[in-house]
Amino acid sequence: MPTPISYCIPLLLLIIRTNPVLARVWGQCPLAHIKESCSVSRPTQLIHGFHAVNARLFQNPDSIIELYCANGRHDSRMQETIAQAERAGVRLHYLDNARLDGMTGHARHQGVVAQIDPRRHYLTLDDVLENLQEAPLLLVLDGVTDPHNLGACLRVADAMGAHAVIAPKDRSAGLNATVSKVACGAAEVVPYITVTNLARTLRELKEAGVWIAGTAMEANTDLFHFQHTGPLAWVMGAEGEGMRRLTRETCDVLVSIPMFGSVESLNVSVASGMVLAESRRQRVLAVS
């Protein structure tokens, strides 16, 4: 069990780093060399904003180490968040806005910041596939390194009922505060699974009966003529670069998104929303 001091040290270091005077004094302190080892005693990250924090409070409260709230905000939205945190037994701290600004790098935190343990939300692809009540619908991102794009992809994945978002560990944005903020709570509910070898993971999905559909502008089959209501994984490449060669060769089929205007390409999150929406539409019609 973590001792109280293990919770206090990261908070004290955070306060020191966001105060210029204290930071200068701390840098001259003989004990300063221990600050990094103390702060990484367990992997933590910050999320902020009501959508991200509330989603985490409702879906996975055990992963929240501490919640920091603006001491000058007392509206109903804040009171609801505080009440939920108290019900979940989350430790609360009240800080001024300047301190919260320092913690988040002056992001739009809305007065709520949570320190979380990302390990408490870990799922494997097998965990996801074993507990589904319908055919898998997955989104695979190959080379999406911008956190805003990842957050938007998670948001559309949640909206269209995708069961997981998969990405390679070496070419992905990774979950952080920006992703959680853009995702508006989806980062806390949609499993985000990073894999060491994406091509191998795609082959394993194929062996499990999942059809792999990659998106490519030059594909002969277009989205509106691609009929598939069974297990499906959509593969999206980075905007401008597309999928890597090995990823592309692993796909069962390549599908293009018809373009009727003057633009030549779509943002990866917009394209993800389109293909997932079409797959969801087909599934709805198939059972109606």
Side-chain angles (χ1 to χ4, degrees), residues 141-188:
L141 304 176
D142 184 22
V144 177
T145 57
D146 180 78
H148 292 88
N149 280 338
L150 176 56
C153 286
L154 287 166
R155 189 172 181 178
V156 298
D158 180 55
M160 291 298 105
H163 302 111
V165 174
I166 303 168
K169 288 181 179 179
D170 62 338
R171 296 185 80 238
S172 62
L175 294 180
N176 57 29
T178 299
V179 173
S180 293
K181 179 72 173 178
V182 174
C184 291
E188 280 62 53

Side-chain angles (χ1 to χ4, degrees), residues 11-23 95-96 98-106:
L11 178 59
L12 288 172
L13 292 173
L14 200 55
I15 293 172
I16 290 170
R17 287 169 180 167
T18 55
N19 186 299
V21 176
L22 291 177
L95 304 177
D96 57 39
R99 191 64 49 77
L100 295 176
D101 287 342
M103 292 171 65
T104 61
H106 295 272

Side-chain angles (χ1 to χ4, degrees), residues 11-254:
L11 178 59
L12 288 172
L13 292 173
L14 200 55
I15 293 172
I16 290 170
R17 287 169 180 167
T18 55
N19 186 299
V21 176
L22 291 177
R24 186 164 56 253
V25 174
W26 176 249
Q28 300 170 355
C29 176
L31 297 178
H33 68 280
I34 71 168
K35 61 184 178 182
E36 293 303 326
S37 62
C38 290
S39 63
V40 298
S41 58
R42 60 169 148 177
T44 64
Q45 68 183 59
L46 296 177
I47 61 174
H48 54 77
F50 283 108
H51 282 300
V53 171
N54 285 337
R56 178 74 60 158
L57 278 171
F58 280 97
Q59 298 292 332
N60 195 16
D62 290 343
S63 68
I64 301 179
I65 300 170
E66 293 174 314
L67 179 63
Y68 308 98
C69 299
N71 55 19
R73 182 164 180 172
H74 307 290
D75 56 273
S76 60
R77 196 175 190 187
M78 178 66 80
Q79 293 307 313
E80 290 171 5
T81 298
I82 291 173
Q84 181 61 28
E86 290 174 341
R87 285 192 292 269
V90 174
R91 238 187 308 273
L92 283 162
H93 300 279
Y94 297 93
L95 304 177
D96 57 39
N97 270 316
R99 191 64 49 77
L100 295 176
D101 287 342
M103 292 171 65
T104 61
H106 295 272
R108 294 182 59 189
H109 50 72
Q110 299 176 296
V112 286
V113 179
Q115 184 185 30
I116 65 169
D117 182 350
R119 298 173 304 177
R120 301 296 293 272
H121 192 53
Y122 179 77
L123 283 175
T124 67
L125 189 53
D126 288 337
D127 293 331
V128 173
L129 297 178
E130 288 175 2
N131 295 287
L132 298 182
Q133 303 301 314
E134 64 170 350
L137 178 59
L138 308 170
L139 178 63
V140 181
L141 304 176
D142 184 22
V144 177
T145 57
D146 180 78
H148 292 88
N149 280 338
L150 176 56
C153 286
L154 287 166
R155 189 172 181 178
V156 298
D158 180 55
M160 291 298 105
H163 302 111
V165 174
I166 303 168
K169 288 181 179 179
D170 62 338
R171 296 185 80 238
S172 62
L175 294 180
N176 57 29
T178 299
V179 173
S180 293
K181 179 72 173 178
V182 174
C184 291
E188 280 62 53
V189 295
V190 177
Y192 179 63
I193 300 168
T194 56
V195 297
T196 303
N197 188 315
L198 184 60
R200 182 173 62 206
T201 298
L202 294 178
R203 289 193 294 268
E204 291 172 352
L205 285 172
K206 292 170 72 170
E207 292 171 1
V210 178
W211 194 255
I212 310 298
T215 52
M217 293 176 60
E218 70 280 5
N220 294 324
T221 303
D222 70 67
L223 179 62
F224 303 140
H225 292 88
F226 176 65
Q227 301 294 317
H228 191 84
T229 57
L232 179 64
W234 281 105
V235 184
M236 314 299 294
E239 186 177 356
E241 299 178 15
M243 296 176 289
R244 289 178 291 181
R245 179 188 59 80
L246 194 55
T247 302
R248 184 189 182 97
E249 293 175 353
T250 309
C251 294
D252 293 303
V253 63
L254 296 179

